Amino acid sequence: MKRLIDVATGRRKADLVLQNARIVNVHTHEVSDGSLAVDQGVIAGVGAYEGKKELDLNGAYLLPGLIDSHVHIESSLVSPEQFARLVVPRGTTTVIADPHEIANVAGLDGIRYMINAAKGVPLDVYFMLPSCVPSTSFENAGAELDAAALAELINDEAVLGLGEVMDYPSVAAGDAGILAKIALAAERNKPVDGHGPMIEGRGLNAYRAAGIQTDHECSTLDEMRDRLRLGMRILIREGSAARNLSTLIKGVGPHSARYCSFCTDDKQPEEILNEGHIDHNLRLAIENGLDPLTAIQMGTLNAAEGYGLPRKGALVPGFDADLIVVDNLRHLNVQQVYKKGVLVAKNQEALFPVNTPDIRSVSGSVNVAGLSEGSFRLKLKNDLVNVIHLHPGNLITEKAVRKVYVDDQGCFACRDKLDILKLAVIERHKASGNVGLGLVEGFQLKGGALATSIAHDSHNLIVIGDNDRDMLTAAEALISCGGGMCAVKEGTVLDTLPLPIAGLMSNESADQLNQRLGRINRIAYDALKVNPQVDPFMSLSFLALPVIPELKLTDMGLFDVTNFEFIDINAE
Amino acid sequence: MKRLIDVATGRRKADLVLQNARIVNVHTHEVSDGSLAVDQGVIAGVGAYEGKKELDLNGAYLLPGLIDSHVHIESSLVSPEQFARLVVPRGTTTVIADPHEIANVAGLDGIRYMINAAKGVPLDVYFMLPSCVPSTSFENAGAELDAAALAELINDEAVLGLGEVMDYPSVAAGDAGILAKIALAAERNKPVDGHGPMIEGRGLNAYRAAGIQTDHECSTLDEMRDRLRLGMRILIREGSAARNLSTLIKGVGPHSARYCSFCTDDKQPEEILNEGHIDHNLRLAIENGLDPLTAIQMGTLNAAEGYGLPRKGALVPGFDADLIVVDNLRHLNVQQVYKKGVLVAKNQEALFPVNTPDIRSVSGSVNVAGLSEGSFRLKLKNDLVNVIHLHPGNLITEKAVRKVYVDDQGCFACRDKLDILKLAVIERHKASGNVGLGLVEGFQLKGGALATSIAHDSHNLIVIGDNDRDMLTAAEALISCGGGMCAVKEGTVLDTLPLPIAGLMSNESADQLNQRLGRINRIAYDALKVNPQVDPFMSLSFLALPVIPELKLTDMGLFDVTNFEFIDINAE
């Protein structure tokens, strides 16, 4: 501190001075010409300074590093280290991660793996403890984390608070278990994230009264406005499956902007590589008419304030020197990224290595017993059924009633004429033998099956196909490789993408992983004729998520999320 | 929590529902018609609710209780309990208090007295630990509080952080003692208040780099802007001696408003009784053109955010039911005040009693030895002297050079023709015998002396007069009554106002105290002919404060605050 003050006052030369910058002030929305001094990783001053090392930015813009307010790193399909190599070059220097996915597979060991893996990379990864493991009592996950379990990690320095409270029916019911988890954070004045799509009126009052402070699940301006009125922070999401930004950005006004920040929630590596990470949210916001300085403030300071990070999100003396250099305030092309004063990415390339991580505690996670072709047979009482109707690009499904073909044994028969496929969710944590079966409309697929061990939120195996034999083959391929993704056509495994870390993530670089993912997706489209509007594995992975309306499938059966109850496959 | 959720959802009737209110939303700047439900002191919901008890507000406005971001309760001259009875009826339900004054007299015992005295009153009194006791090394106080001493209280639940860091030269010098105090708060992510008048450029960078987060000492828009650019919060002050609001309110813009709140800092009981407390700041802001909803937000939510009070400052489910009812949004006449859902004031009258407090730990604090008429004789080398030039209504004094009369013994001689009076600061904590002498212009006084044991910040005895005999008489009167204020004319004590709590505060009600204060002030004006532009005892009490420019007097001598050094009384 003494040394920092010596640098700030000019008595001592700074480690590094970035000269000739256009410095963006996210507090006052001003841009000033000048230099910024960094010493021992901390900003010492803005103004005129001399440094042991000086770099001329030639009038480029200097911004605080970007912050993702809510992300499941697991959705990038790569380990935290590889995730850092993926997002840091795009200007993200801090993320608020909810390790909900791996916790559902590997419990506290999974969270500890994430915390440890993120140490040593030039990305600040803070964690919100997953509040809903399992997400609901309507599915089987690999772990159950009650308040006592979470208490083991709540005081960890990387842990900021409690992650998205998805189980809003339990909150509204005043369930002791979920309230104990909320209290764990609230007693420490730590933030509690929400996840409350479509809650309104008294239900929303109850959710807020319980201490829920944020929501990233708004998809309408009405939802956004209702939550802002209750003093909740809105994390405007632009991910892979859920893209809310173009709608919600219209709700960012002069009074509400301070409570809005950006998040990706779930974003696949391809889209991060192609369009960017939080930098993409900013660009899109600006394209949609938001002024650039408000967009930058939302992507930096507002997130830092929301999560109680007093030394992040602004170019202020005493703050961490997490800095990005961009060409202009419209396109925001990230040219350089400094993490705690060290250049860690240049021209979209990461400049830091990644050690080979130890994944023993989270590998070998697929544990299934007694699967046979018969496990996939779907007995029907009649030909009128409830089907899950997909909306491409939206996590919300619709419950539709359809008339289908029934074979002579009284089982569902898949026919080309109807776009209705069989879906299976196979419990894969404790070999219980549970298999849930359902039907899906809008996916399209011919002559085969797709399977993945990424199936939100319990991450059982989920398989979709038009025949039971290929569905079994796809599931077996994943059992033998410890999880991942698989495409099968007419009895042949066309491609497998292994995800050895909890069946969720790979050790490979995002580039390599993405090439594999591109290949298996192309196979899904080309060889299996999946609906081009649908992201095959991403869509599949959300069909088991029983916290987003309207109809989903778990290993325990078909689940009506609106009424929070299992329903029969037959509609009458 | 379960019960609150039951009320929020409507399953259970609320303790109290305020019906037919115009509810002010400080998050969205909206006013909505509706009802607000309170249960067990907490807001359960806004909307349509039923209560065991229901009150019709007949369309009056319902606001969050007001917050004073920075106040020295001692300046009200009454104990914390009486202070609560004074400000709660004006709509203040939370204050951030810095017990700096009593700490300078009684150290940790003084702070503990304040914390304990404030328990049980319907006013949330949070404390910032005084960072500068003594304020400087250029005066003698009743205690020295280093970081180790403050550590005893930093984790107290009533303590929020570190109080105003006035000693900015030590900060700029990187002094280990002050940095250790800052670290005490910073390590716990607790706020650190500033006090940095006129600091700018690199000096301000250093101050901010050290972790200082707020300033309430801005008197110009330039100072305000410089601090806002560094992400500091501005506490816009309207007190008794310092009135910055009309100037600074012009600096509240759409981007900066969120970092602005209101404070009184030091405000005498008369002015609180006459014009109000934070409600007055709001009214004045609105009169100066600020829109009422921004003013209300600054007086509530912004203060709560600045001090990390997540359940204060807004009418949001789960927040404390600190509510005020006002007639309209322009005059803000406070009609009712609810503290944690209980009606505690109505029509500007407090509805709660005050117990007789135990003041033994903080009484009998005036300890002076060896005072005589000779103690007040001011030897001069020549007739050209440095005098303290008063600016009425401003804490900042000017260093002026004047020619004065010298008697035949080479001592200063007071003459009617010149408005230059003698000032003495007498060390009163440990009977050291220290007496500092100086000269003051602009005060005016004839044929007597005034004395007070309130003398910022060390609270030695300060005496002003035009003859040594009356100055001695005044000092002796205060020594015998344990501190307070005294007016002497031509050898006679005309009036004494005892302040038995550390020589700073009274047990009496603010009303009673104010009548006494009015009487002694009238005597000062009428019998002693003090300048009508000057508040006699208030002005006097700030003449010993060696942290506000430009020239001040301590028990150790005449102090040049600009250069931070003692100077000779003679100007050459």
Side-chain angles (χ1 to χ4, degrees):
Chain A
M1 181 57 76
K2 167 82 166 76
R3 176 169 157 178
L4 185 68
I5 291 169
D6 287 345
V7 173
T9 55
R11 286 192 297 265
R12 179 191 171 102
K13 277 194 180 179
D15 283 344
L16 171 70
V17 174
L18 300 174
Q19 303 281 18
N20 193 18
R22 292 199 176 109
I23 298 170
V24 172
N25 190 314
V26 291
H27 285 98
T28 60
H29 287 222
E30 295 170 303
V31 179
S32 63
D33 294 337
S35 63
L36 183 138
V38 175
D39 199 72
Q40 294 185 307
V42 176
I43 298 170
V46 177
Y49 280 96
E50 289 183 4
K52 291 176 223 161
K53 184 173 172 185
E54 300 191 352
L55 276 177
D56 191 334
L57 293 186
N58 297 309
Y61 288 85
L62 194 58
L63 276 57
L66 306 179
I67 301 176
D68 189 338
S69 294
H70 176 70
V71 60
H72 303 288
I73 291 175
E74 298 95 318
S75 294
S76 74
L77 307 181
V78 292
S79 66
E81 302 95 319
Q82 297 290 358
F83 177 77
R85 284 182 59 87
L86 177 60
V87 302
V88 168
R90 310 308 301 240
T92 303
T93 54
T94 297
V95 300
I96 316 298
D98 181 342
H100 172 76
E101 315 305 344
I102 197 166
N104 265 284
V105 176
L108 292 180
D109 282 347
I111 303 172
R112 289 195 184 100
Y113 157 77
M114 296 295 278
I115 293 174
N116 290 328
K119 285 178 182 161
V121 295
L123 171 72
D124 276 304
V125 183
Y126 294 103
F127 292 90
M128 302 293 276
L129 293 181
S131 64
C132 300
V133 177
S135 283
T136 66
S137 56
F138 310 113
E139 61 194 314
N140 287 295
E144 282 190 41
L145 297 182
D146 59 11
L150 296 181
E152 292 190 34
L153 286 173
I154 189 72
N155 294 320
D156 188 288
E157 61 179 9
V159 170
L160 294 183
L162 188 70
E164 50 180 322
V165 178
M166 296 181 289
D167 188 7
Y168 49 85
S170 290
V171 174
D175 171 78
I178 190 72
L179 296 188
K181 293 177 189 176
I182 292 172
L184 204 63
E187 283 162 6
R188 292 165 174 81
N189 261 355
K190 293 185 172 214
V192 178
D193 275 333
H195 165 122
M198 299 189 199
I199 314 178
E200 60 184 6
R202 289 176 171 184
L204 188 59
N205 279 346
Y207 196 58
R208 182 69 176 109
I212 311 292
Q213 292 160 25
T214 74
D215 205 346
H216 58 268
E217 289 291 337
C218 298
S219 58
T220 70
L221 288 171
D222 284 350
E223 282 181 287
M224 180 178 180
R225 184 205 57 213
D226 288 351
R227 283 149 186 75
L228 287 168
R229 282 179 175 163
L230 296 190
M232 295 175 75
R233 290 178 186 267
I234 305 298
L235 320 181
I236 297 180
R237 174 173 59 181
E238 190 72 7
S240 288
R243 295 179 172 270
N244 308 114
L245 193 144
S246 300
T247 301
L248 300 186
I249 208 72
K250 296 174 184 69
V252 177
H255 303 304
S256 57
R258 70 195 257 193
Y259 297 109
C260 297
S261 60
F262 291 119
C263 74
T264 57
D265 199 0
D266 296 288
K267 193 160 185 177
Q268 292 201 316
E270 181 181 15
E271 281 150 339
I272 300 175
L273 287 164
N274 288 347
E275 67 185 19
H277 191 233
I278 293 298
D279 57 323
H280 172 68
N281 292 48
L282 266 69
R283 269 189 298 274
L284 196 58
I286 294 164
E287 279 169 26
N288 276 273
L290 192 69
D291 89 274
L293 290 166
T294 300
I296 294 167
Q297 189 188 47
M298 288 166 57
T300 56
L301 181 64
N302 295 1
E305 286 187 2
Y307 289 93
L309 301 171
R311 291 171 198 87
K312 297 281 183 196
L315 303 182
V316 161
F319 278 39
D320 290 338
D322 299 347
L323 317 167
I324 65 176
V325 177
V326 305
D327 53 351
N328 62 62
L329 296 188
R330 184 145 295 274
H331 301 108
L332 294 165
N333 291 308
V334 179
Q335 299 172 328
Q336 297 177 42
V337 180
Y338 293 83
K339 183 66 193 170
K340 296 195 173 130
V342 176
L343 183 69
V344 290
K346 195 167 180 178
N347 300 328
Q348 313 268 331
E349 292 292 331
L351 300 179
F352 55 94
V354 159
N355 298 328
T356 306
D358 179 352
I359 63 165
R360 282 170 299 180
S361 66
V362 287
S363 56
S365 65
V366 179
N367 188 16
V368 175
L371 207 62
S372 71
E373 216 174 300
S375 308
F376 295 90
R377 289 175 60 82
L378 173 56
K379 194 89 180 167
L380 296 179
K381 283 178 275 188
N382 56 54
D383 65 354
L384 201 67
V385 293
N386 291 305
V387 308
I388 300 169
H389 178 84
L390 279 186
H391 289 286
N394 197 323
L395 300 188
I396 293 170
T397 63
E398 213 174 284
K399 185 174 91 172
V401 175
R402 297 288 183 259
K403 212 162 153 43
V404 294
Y405 294 93
V406 179
D407 69 15
D408 48 13
Q409 290 163 17
C411 292
F412 169 75
C414 199
R415 292 284 184 277
D416 273 7
K417 290 169 192 172
L418 292 178
D419 166 26
I420 293 177
L421 298 167
K422 195 183 286 175
L423 186 70
V425 175
I426 304 157
E427 192 281 316
R428 63 110 161 169
H429 304 290
K430 43 202 171 193
S432 65
N434 268 16
V435 178
L437 295 173
L439 298 169
V440 175
E441 179 176 73
F443 195 92
Q444 302 173 19
L445 182 149
K446 283 192 203 322
L450 299 177
T452 174
S453 55
I454 302 174
H456 299 284
D457 281 332
S458 289
H459 301 297
N460 288 305
L461 296 186
I462 189 162
V463 192
I464 194 166
D466 66 350
N467 71 84
D468 298 347
R469 193 173 57 107
D470 285 345
M471 290 176 79
L472 176 64
T473 303
E476 283 174 340
L478 292 192
I479 293 166
S480 67
C481 78
M485 300 174 185
C486 178
V488 172
K489 186 179 168 83
E490 293 165 5
T492 305
V493 176
L494 296 183
D495 198 14
T496 303
L497 187 164
L499 297 170
I501 303 171
L504 300 174
M505 288 172 280
S506 167
N507 276 328
E508 293 180 305
S509 75
D511 247 333
Q512 290 169 304
L513 186 281
N514 187 50
Q515 285 175 28
R516 281 178 181 271
L517 186 62
R519 191 177 67 193
I520 200 167
N521 274 326
R522 273 194 308 278
I523 287 169
Y525 292 126
D526 297 346
L528 293 169
K529 307 297 176 194
V530 169
N531 178 357
Q533 303 299 310
V534 164
D535 184 320
F537 290 94
M538 173 69 91
S539 290
L540 199 51
S541 72
F542 281 103
L543 289 178
L545 182 62
V547 292
I548 292 188
E550 193 171 61
L551 189 62
K552 295 295 169 82
L553 181 69
T554 81
D555 67 305
M556 294 162 73
L558 199 59
F559 192 71
D560 178 331
V561 184
T562 312
N563 299 310
F564 257 68
E565 60 184 18
F566 285 105
I567 61 170
D568 199 79
I569 185 77
N570 279 107
E572 67 178 21
Chain B
M1 181 55 77
K2 167 80 166 78
R3 176 169 158 178
L4 185 68
I5 291 169
D6 286 344
V7 173
T9 54
R11 287 191 297 264
R12 180 191 171 101
K13 277 193 181 181
D15 283 344
L16 171 69
V17 175
L18 300 174
Q19 303 280 18
N20 193 18
R22 291 200 177 110
I23 298 170
V24 172
N25 190 315
V26 291
H27 285 98
T28 59
H29 287 220
E30 295 170 303
V31 179
S32 64
D33 293 338
S35 63
L36 183 138
V38 175
D39 200 72
Q40 294 185 309
V42 176
I43 298 170
V46 177
Y49 280 96
E50 289 182 5
K52 291 176 223 160
K53 185 173 173 185
E54 300 190 355
L55 276 176
D56 192 333
L57 293 186
N58 297 310
Y61 289 85
L62 194 58
L63 276 58
L66 305 179
I67 301 176
D68 189 338
S69 294
H70 176 70
V71 60
H72 302 290
I73 291 174
E74 298 95 318
S75 295
S76 74
L77 307 180
V78 291
S79 66
E81 301 95 319
Q82 298 289 358
F83 176 77
R85 284 182 59 87
L86 177 60
V87 302
V88 168
R90 309 308 301 240
T92 303
T93 54
T94 297
V95 301
I96 316 297
D98 181 343
H100 172 75
E101 316 305 345
I102 197 166
N104 265 283
V105 177
L108 291 179
D109 281 347
I111 302 172
R112 288 195 185 101
Y113 158 76
M114 296 294 279
I115 293 174
N116 290 328
K119 284 178 184 163
V121 295
L123 170 71
D124 277 303
V125 184
Y126 294 102
F127 292 90
M128 302 293 277
L129 293 182
S131 64
C132 300
V133 178
S135 283
T136 67
S137 55
F138 311 112
E139 60 195 313
N140 287 295
E144 282 190 40
L145 297 182
D146 59 10
L150 296 181
E152 291 189 35
L153 287 173
I154 190 71
N155 294 320
D156 189 288
E157 62 179 8
V159 170
L160 295 183
L162 188 70
E164 51 180 323
V165 178
M166 297 181 288
D167 188 5
Y168 49 86
S170 290
V171 175
D175 172 78
I178 191 72
L179 296 189
K181 293 177 190 176
I182 293 172
L184 204 63
E187 283 163 4
R188 292 165 174 80
N189 262 354
K190 293 185 173 216
V192 177
D193 274 333
H195 165 122
M198 298 189 201
I199 316 178
E200 59 184 5
R202 289 177 172 181
L204 189 60
N205 279 347
Y207 196 57
R208 182 68 176 111
I212 312 293
Q213 291 159 24
T214 73
D215 205 347
H216 58 269
E217 289 291 337
C218 298
S219 59
T220 70
L221 288 172
D222 284 350
E223 282 181 286
M224 181 177 179
R225 184 206 55 212
D226 288 351
R227 283 151 184 75
L228 287 168
R229 283 179 175 163
L230 295 190
M232 294 175 75
R233 290 178 185 268
I234 304 299
L235 320 180
I236 297 180
R237 175 172 59 181
E238 190 73 6
S240 288
R243 294 180 172 269
N244 309 114
L245 193 144
S246 301
T247 301
L248 299 187
I249 209 72
K250 296 175 186 68
V252 178
H255 303 305
S256 57
R258 71 195 253 194
Y259 297 110
C260 297
S261 60
F262 292 118
C263 75
T264 57
D265 198 359
D266 297 287
K267 193 160 186 177
Q268 291 200 317
E270 181 182 14
E271 282 151 337
I272 299 175
L273 287 164
N274 288 347
E275 67 185 21
H277 191 233
I278 293 299
D279 58 323
H280 173 68
N281 293 47
L282 266 69
R283 270 189 297 274
L284 197 57
I286 293 164
E287 278 169 27
N288 276 273
L290 192 68
D291 89 272
L293 289 167
T294 300
I296 294 168
Q297 189 188 46
M298 286 166 58
T300 57
L301 182 63
N302 295 2
E305 286 188 1
Y307 289 94
L309 300 172
R311 290 170 199 88
K312 297 280 183 198
L315 304 182
V316 161
F319 279 38
D320 289 339
D322 298 349
L323 316 167
I324 65 176
V325 178
V326 305
D327 54 351
N328 62 61
L329 298 187
R330 184 145 295 274
H331 301 108
L332 293 165
N333 291 309
V334 179
Q335 299 173 328
Q336 297 177 43
V337 180
Y338 293 84
K339 183 66 192 168
K340 295 193 175 133
V342 177
L343 184 69
V344 291
K346 194 167 181 178
N347 299 328
Q348 314 267 333
E349 292 292 331
L351 300 180
F352 55 93
V354 161
N355 297 329
T356 306
D358 180 353
I359 63 164
R360 283 171 298 180
S361 66
V362 287
S363 56
S365 66
V366 179
N367 189 16
V368 175
L371 207 62
S372 72
E373 216 174 302
S375 309
F376 295 90
R377 288 174 61 81
L378 173 57
K379 195 89 178 165
L380 296 179
K381 282 178 278 189
N382 56 54
D383 65 355
L384 202 67
V385 294
N386 290 306
V387 308
I388 299 169
H389 178 83
L390 278 187
H391 289 287
N394 197 324
L395 300 188
I396 294 169
T397 64
E398 213 174 284
K399 185 174 89 172
V401 175
R402 298 287 183 259
K403 216 163 147 47
V404 294
Y405 296 94
V406 178
D407 68 16
D408 48 13
Q409 291 163 17
C411 291
F412 169 74
C414 199
R415 291 287 184 273
D416 272 7
K417 292 170 190 172
L418 293 179
D419 165 27
I420 293 177
L421 298 167
K422 194 183 287 175
L423 186 69
V425 175
I426 304 158
E427 192 282 315
R428 64 109 160 170
H429 303 290
K430 43 201 171 192
S432 65
N434 269 16
V435 178
L437 295 172
L439 298 169
V440 175
E441 178 176 76
F443 195 93
Q444 303 174 16
L445 182 149
K446 284 190 203 320
L450 298 178
T452 174
S453 54
I454 302 173
H456 299 282
D457 281 333
S458 289
H459 301 296
N460 288 305
L461 296 186
I462 189 162
V463 192
I464 193 165
D466 66 349
N467 70 86
D468 299 346
R469 194 173 57 105
D470 285 344
M471 290 177 79
L472 176 65
T473 303
E476 283 175 339
L478 291 192
I479 293 165
S480 69
C481 77
M485 301 175 185
C486 178
V488 173
K489 186 178 168 82
E490 293 164 5
T492 305
V493 175
L494 296 184
D495 198 16
T496 304
L497 188 164
L499 297 170
I501 304 172
L504 300 174
M505 287 172 280
S506 167
N507 275 327
E508 293 181 304
S509 75
D511 247 334
Q512 291 170 304
L513 185 282
N514 186 49
Q515 286 175 28
R516 282 177 180 271
L517 186 62
R519 191 177 66 193
I520 199 167
N521 274 327
R522 272 194 307 279
I523 289 169
Y525 291 126
D526 298 345
L528 294 170
K529 306 297 177 196
V530 169
N531 178 358
Q533 302 299 310
V534 163
D535 184 319
F537 290 93
M538 172 69 91
S539 289
L540 199 51
S541 71
F542 281 104
L543 289 179
L545 181 61
V547 292
I548 292 188
E550 189 173 62
L551 189 63
K552 296 294 169 82
L553 180 70
T554 82
D555 68 305
M556 294 162 73
L558 199 59
F559 193 72
D560 178 331
V561 184
T562 311
N563 299 309
F564 256 69
E565 59 185 16
F566 285 105
I567 61 170
D568 198 80
I569 185 78
N570 279 109
E572 66 178 23

